[in-house]
């Protein structure tokens, strides 16, 4: 009789959902400040932030911020974390950060995850909601990642 052979392709593992928070422990350093057409442009380098939850570690972040005349903002950038994820430790990059902030300062962003070192085969994506507080921006992230090619 006939037999059926099922071959699983080599692929990434099943995505794992993660959540947590982040905040900054050092004030940002602004640079490249200028205005044009009623918009204000600035690059902010955050020298140290903390991630808690399912992803833990310290990170640096660089954001390019465009503030419009109504107070809303567009934000683009990246962050690099020395992190622990899923029992592994390495460098985790939050790349292609793209977001908007409303005039009250609440922001939403999307990002792509990749890793190196012990996180070399990590891939994923996620979102963050950032709220202004008297101590500085406070964020909540949700993401999905997997390990694999």
């Amino acid at each position: 009789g006939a037999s059926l052979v099922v071959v699983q392709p080599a692929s990434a593992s099943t995505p794992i959902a993660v959540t947590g928070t982040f905040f900054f422990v050092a004030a940002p350093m602004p640079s490249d400040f200028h205005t044009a057409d009623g918009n204000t442009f600035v690059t902010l380098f955050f020298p140290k932030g903390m991630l808690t939850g399912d992803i833990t570690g310290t990170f640096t972040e660089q954001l390019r911020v465009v503030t419009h005349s109504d107070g809303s903002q567009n934000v683009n950038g990246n962050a690099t974390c020395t992190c622990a994820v899923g029992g592994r430790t390495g460098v985790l990059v939050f790349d292609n950060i793209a977001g908007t902030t409303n005039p009250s300062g609440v922001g939403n962003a999307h990002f792509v995850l990749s890793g190196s070192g012990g996180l070399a085969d990590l891939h994923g994506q996620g979102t963050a909601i950032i709220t202004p507080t008297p101590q500085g921006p406070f964020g909540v992230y949700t993401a999905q990642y997997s390990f694999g090619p």
Side-chain angles (χ1 to χ4, degrees):
S3 65
L4 178 62
V5 176
V6 178
V7 177
Q8 291 286 0
S11 64
S13 61
T14 301
I16 298 166
V18 292
T19 62
T21 64
F22 61 94
F23 56 93
F24 301 95
V25 295
M29 294 181 280
S31 65
D32 301 327
F33 181 86
H34 68 280
T35 59
D37 300 324
N39 299 313
T40 303
F41 301 81
V42 65
T43 298
L44 298 175
F45 175 73
F46 293 87
K48 187 173 184 184
M50 302 288 295
L51 278 160
T52 65
D54 297 322
I55 300 172
T56 59
T58 59
F59 68 92
T60 61
E61 184 172 40
Q62 182 164 312
L63 298 175
R64 183 84 176 133
V65 181
V66 180
T67 303
H68 306 286
S69 58
D70 67 358
S72 66
Q73 296 177 320
N74 292 88
V75 180
N76 293 284
N78 60 60
T80 302
C81 178
T82 302
C83 281
V85 182
R88 301 185 193 187
T89 303
V91 174
L92 183 63
V93 176
F94 293 74
D95 218 349
N96 300 316
I97 296 170
T100 58
T101 302
N102 68 26
S104 66
V106 176
N108 294 285
H110 299 272
F111 53 84
V112 175
L113 294 170
S114 62
S116 62
L119 301 174
D121 54 354
L122 184 146
H123 306 280
Q125 61 183 356
T127 60
I129 298 172
I130 304 93
T131 306
T133 73
Q135 296 78 31
F138 179 82
V140 176
Y141 68 85
T142 58
Q144 288 194 332
Y145 74 89
S146 59
F147 288 105

